[in-house]
């Protein structure tokens, strides 16, 4: 198998893993947070349906100091409230969110890098 096919298979596996984790994290954690009246309005702005799943996962993936700083900014309405989410989730939820967010981010970046290499003629 040449390098192009190998990289493409790695990209597809990352995308598949991200998709499975997206559904699982949404059903296990975010569904619970949506039903809770204390956290329902604190999941951040939804650009499209399901974006709150990514907002919640981002809270568990980025350093806590950054998220606390975001909560004090004028753009806080766009992001999930980390203080409320840490109070209403378990360690399993946090680890699952972190794994989901980084698999989504890294597979997206890898796909963009793969497309860039392809357009530059690296695989010709």
């Amino acid at each position: 198998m040449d390098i192009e096919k190998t990289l493409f298979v790695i990209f597809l596996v990352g995308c598949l893993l991200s998709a499975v984790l997206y559904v699982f994290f949404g059903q296990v954690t975010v569904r619970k947070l949506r039903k809770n009246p204390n956290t329902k309005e604190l999941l951040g702005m939804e650009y499209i349906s399901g974006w709150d799943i990514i907002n919640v996962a981002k809270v568990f993936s980025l350093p806590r100091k950054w998220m606390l700083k975001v909560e004090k900014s004028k753009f806080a309405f766009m992001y999930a409230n980390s203080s409320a989410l840490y109070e209403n989730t378990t360690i399993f939820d946090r680890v699952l969110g972190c794994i989901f967010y980084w698999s989504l981010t890294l597979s997206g970046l890898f796909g963009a890098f793969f497309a860039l290499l392809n357009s530059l003629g690296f695989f010709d």
Side-chain angles (χ1 to χ4, degrees), residues 52-121:
D52 55 345
I53 297 171
I54 298 170
N55 281 339
V56 172
K58 188 186 309 179
V59 163
F60 301 138
S61 302
L62 298 179
R64 186 86 193 265
K65 285 186 177 184
W66 291 3
M67 296 312 297
L68 291 174
K69 199 176 269 192
V70 166
E71 284 179 25
K72 296 175 186 170
S73 74
K74 62 182 177 180
F75 298 109
F77 68 93
M78 296 174 68
Y79 299 93
N81 186 312
S82 64
S83 302
L85 295 183
Y86 273 93
E87 291 173 7
N88 292 290
T89 55
T90 63
I91 190 74
F92 174 75
D93 296 328
R94 296 178 202 145
V95 170
L96 182 62
C98 187
I99 293 170
F100 158 64
Y101 182 77
W102 286 114
S103 69
L104 177 72
T105 302
L106 292 176
S107 65
L109 289 173
F110 188 76
F113 183 66
F114 185 72
L116 176 68
L117 288 178
N118 192 33
S119 68
L120 292 175

Side-chain angles (χ1 to χ4, degrees), residues 3 6 16-19 22-23 26 28 31 34-35 40 49 51 53 55 64 67-68 71 79 81 85 89:
I3 191 165
T6 304
L16 182 64
L17 176 68
S18 297
Y22 178 79
V23 172
V28 170
R31 186 179 194 191
R34 285 179 187 150
K35 288 182 178 182
K40 184 177 184 176
S49 180
W51 196 268
I53 297 171
N55 281 339
R64 186 86 193 265
M67 296 312 297
L68 291 174
E71 284 179 25
Y79 299 93
N81 186 312
L85 295 183
T89 55

